[in-house]
Amino acid sequence: MKKTVYLLVILLVTKIVVAQSDLELQLMSDSANAALKNTILEIETLYDGKFHKCPDSTITKYYKTLGALSVRKELIEKYEAIKWDNTTDSLISLKIFTWKPQTKLGFGVTDNQAFFSAQYAFKANWYRNYDIGIGSGIEYVNRGSGLVQVLQMPVYITNNVFLGKFTFLNFDYGLTIPLSGNYKNAKDETIDYKQNEFSNNMYFDLGLGYLNKSNMGIQFNARNQSLGVPEPLNQRVWMFGLKLSF
């Protein structure tokens, strides 16, 4: 007897869930969207926005229709989120290999030094598992509020290791190659560096980032580098900032 009752309860719950799903799918259809919008348009056209002249039943119908449109939007967002999760889980598990270009814009600061960066990398990509690639770009570094200014080119290897669907660890390392620069002397005169005064320097970036569903990312990063200029202005420092990736 108990087994029969359990089976009946399971059957009833299953029918309710199926019926609910069918109603949701009907509400999300294009025909339902058109019917709801036509109802609103007809009421607004008939009464020209003067709802104080509407019968109570019409006002109730109007706001129920608006509510149905709102529910429809929420349902579509829910089903799209479920679809994205299922697709993403599948791609992550398959570990499909692709090539992927990436642009990054970033900045970093410390107490007396700052940099602005535009980078481009070409990466081997295992979707939201792991990325590795090589990149370059152009960067501006300013030390001591204009005491030293350097335009440099980074050449680097980039690595991303994903901790989940959205979060990742980033590690970039390579060379900064000074292209041009200047400094201010004791008389506050701006002096250009000569090319033979520059030296290439190892640098690295550490970052923790977030990647959204559209593959746009933001990360907090810490960079360690020196300027590649003659002493005593060639100190190695840590700079902290943000990077945006596209």
Side-chain angles (χ1 to χ4, degrees), residues 16 21 77 102 110 117 140 177 185 189 239:
I16 291 173
S21 297
E77 290 174 351
Q102 184 181 63
T110 186
S117 175
Y140 167 75
I177 304 171
N185 62 17
E189 298 170 331
M239 292 175 284

PDB file of all heavy atoms in Angstrom, residues 16 21 77 102 110 117 140 177 185 189 239:
ATOM      1  N   ILE A  16       3.282  17.479 -12.502  1.00  0.00           N
ATOM      2  CA  ILE A  16       3.287  18.911 -12.177  1.00  0.00           C
ATOM      3  C   ILE A  16       4.523  19.582 -12.755  1.00  0.00           C
ATOM      4  O   ILE A  16       4.445  20.660 -13.343  1.00  0.00           O
ATOM      5  CB  ILE A  16       3.221  19.112 -10.647  1.00  0.00           C
ATOM      6  CG1 ILE A  16       1.844  18.683 -10.125  1.00  0.00           C
ATOM      7  CG2 ILE A  16       3.478  20.575 -10.294  1.00  0.00           C
ATOM      8  CD1 ILE A  16       1.745  18.675  -8.606  1.00  0.00           C
ATOM      9  N   SER A  21       6.983  22.966 -16.821  1.00  0.00           N
ATOM     10  CA  SER A  21       7.977  23.180 -17.876  1.00  0.00           C
ATOM     11  C   SER A  21       7.304  23.534 -19.193  1.00  0.00           C
ATOM     12  O   SER A  21       7.781  24.398 -19.927  1.00  0.00           O
ATOM     13  CB  SER A  21       8.829  21.919 -18.050  1.00  0.00           C
ATOM     14  OG  SER A  21       9.555  21.631 -16.870  1.00  0.00           O
ATOM     15  N   GLU A  77      16.216  34.361 -19.342  1.00  0.00           N
ATOM     16  CA  GLU A  77      17.532  34.518 -18.727  1.00  0.00           C
ATOM     17  C   GLU A  77      17.934  33.252 -17.974  1.00  0.00           C
ATOM     18  O   GLU A  77      19.098  32.831 -18.033  1.00  0.00           O
ATOM     19  CB  GLU A  77      17.523  35.719 -17.778  1.00  0.00           C
ATOM     20  CG  GLU A  77      17.423  37.062 -18.492  1.00  0.00           C
ATOM     21  CD  GLU A  77      17.278  38.232 -17.532  1.00  0.00           C
ATOM     22  OE1 GLU A  77      17.088  37.978 -16.314  1.00  0.00           O
ATOM     23  OE2 GLU A  77      17.349  39.387 -17.988  1.00  0.00           O
ATOM     24  N   GLN A 102      44.610  37.700 -27.820  1.00  0.00           N
ATOM     25  CA  GLN A 102      44.108  38.430 -26.657  1.00  0.00           C
ATOM     26  C   GLN A 102      44.768  39.800 -26.538  1.00  0.00           C
ATOM     27  O   GLN A 102      45.981  39.924 -26.675  1.00  0.00           O
ATOM     28  CB  GLN A 102      44.365  37.649 -25.367  1.00  0.00           C
ATOM     29  CG  GLN A 102      43.778  38.310 -24.128  1.00  0.00           C
ATOM     30  CD  GLN A 102      44.072  37.531 -22.861  1.00  0.00           C
ATOM     31  OE1 GLN A 102      45.211  37.373 -22.466  1.00  0.00           O
ATOM     32  NE2 GLN A 102      43.025  37.036 -22.238  1.00  0.00           N
ATOM     33  N   THR A 110      52.908  52.328  -7.721  1.00  0.00           N
ATOM     34  CA  THR A 110      53.477  52.173  -6.385  1.00  0.00           C
ATOM     35  C   THR A 110      53.618  53.578  -5.816  1.00  0.00           C
ATOM     36  O   THR A 110      53.050  54.526  -6.370  1.00  0.00           O
ATOM     37  CB  THR A 110      54.823  51.429  -6.436  1.00  0.00           C
ATOM     38  OG1 THR A 110      55.271  51.176  -5.106  1.00  0.00           O
ATOM     39  CG2 THR A 110      55.866  52.206  -7.196  1.00  0.00           C
ATOM     40  N   SER A 117      49.946  50.166 -19.912  1.00  0.00           N
ATOM     41  CA  SER A 117      50.337  49.085 -20.807  1.00  0.00           C
ATOM     42  C   SER A 117      49.244  48.744 -21.814  1.00  0.00           C
ATOM     43  O   SER A 117      48.054  48.724 -21.479  1.00  0.00           O
ATOM     44  CB  SER A 117      50.666  47.840 -19.958  1.00  0.00           C
ATOM     45  OG  SER A 117      50.931  46.730 -20.779  1.00  0.00           O
ATOM     46  N   TYR A 140      54.323  52.614 -21.105  1.00  0.00           N
ATOM     47  CA  TYR A 140      54.899  53.883 -20.631  1.00  0.00           C
ATOM     48  C   TYR A 140      55.109  53.767 -19.125  1.00  0.00           C
ATOM     49  O   TYR A 140      54.200  53.385 -18.381  1.00  0.00           O
ATOM     50  CB  TYR A 140      53.951  55.039 -20.943  1.00  0.00           C
ATOM     51  CG  TYR A 140      54.305  56.333 -20.232  1.00  0.00           C
ATOM     52  CD1 TYR A 140      55.378  57.111 -20.651  1.00  0.00           C
ATOM     53  CD2 TYR A 140      53.547  56.769 -19.144  1.00  0.00           C
ATOM     54  CE1 TYR A 140      55.697  58.292 -20.005  1.00  0.00           C
ATOM     55  CE2 TYR A 140      53.860  57.955 -18.486  1.00  0.00           C
ATOM     56  CZ  TYR A 140      54.932  58.709 -18.918  1.00  0.00           C
ATOM     57  OH  TYR A 140      55.253  59.873 -18.267  1.00  0.00           O
ATOM     58  N   ILE A 177      62.090  45.873 -22.890  1.00  0.00           N
ATOM     59  CA  ILE A 177      63.126  46.435 -23.750  1.00  0.00           C
ATOM     60  C   ILE A 177      62.889  47.940 -23.871  1.00  0.00           C
ATOM     61  O   ILE A 177      61.916  48.368 -24.512  1.00  0.00           O
ATOM     62  CB  ILE A 177      63.085  45.784 -25.145  1.00  0.00           C
ATOM     63  CG1 ILE A 177      63.221  44.269 -25.024  1.00  0.00           C
ATOM     64  CG2 ILE A 177      64.172  46.366 -26.043  1.00  0.00           C
ATOM     65  CD1 ILE A 177      62.976  43.524 -26.322  1.00  0.00           C
ATOM     66  N   ASN A 185      67.613  66.445 -14.700  1.00  0.00           N
ATOM     67  CA  ASN A 185      68.845  66.613 -13.916  1.00  0.00           C
ATOM     68  C   ASN A 185      68.616  67.545 -12.728  1.00  0.00           C
ATOM     69  O   ASN A 185      67.476  67.958 -12.462  1.00  0.00           O
ATOM     70  CB  ASN A 185      69.986  67.120 -14.808  1.00  0.00           C
ATOM     71  CG  ASN A 185      69.686  68.488 -15.423  1.00  0.00           C
ATOM     72  OD1 ASN A 185      68.796  69.214 -14.967  1.00  0.00           O
ATOM     73  ND2 ASN A 185      70.442  68.843 -16.454  1.00  0.00           N
ATOM     74  N   GLU A 189      66.282  70.155 -15.865  1.00  0.00           N
ATOM     75  CA  GLU A 189      66.308  70.076 -17.323  1.00  0.00           C
ATOM     76  C   GLU A 189      66.022  68.636 -17.760  1.00  0.00           C
ATOM     77  O   GLU A 189      66.462  67.681 -17.112  1.00  0.00           O
ATOM     78  CB  GLU A 189      67.677  70.508 -17.855  1.00  0.00           C
ATOM     79  CG  GLU A 189      68.042  71.951 -17.526  1.00  0.00           C
ATOM     80  CD  GLU A 189      69.485  72.259 -17.859  1.00  0.00           C
ATOM     81  OE1 GLU A 189      70.322  71.331 -17.807  1.00  0.00           O
ATOM     82  OE2 GLU A 189      69.784  73.430 -18.168  1.00  0.00           O
ATOM     83  N   MET A 239      54.783  47.083  -8.562  1.00  0.00           N
ATOM     84  CA  MET A 239      53.664  47.975  -8.896  1.00  0.00           C
ATOM     85  C   MET A 239      52.390  47.133  -8.896  1.00  0.00           C
ATOM     86  O   MET A 239      52.383  45.987  -9.380  1.00  0.00           O
ATOM     87  CB  MET A 239      53.886  48.649 -10.252  1.00  0.00           C
ATOM     88  CG  MET A 239      55.034  49.634 -10.247  1.00  0.00           C
ATOM     89  SD  MET A 239      55.386  50.320 -11.904  1.00  0.00           S
ATOM     90  CE  MET A 239      56.223  48.942 -12.673  1.00  0.00           C
TER      91      MET A 239
END
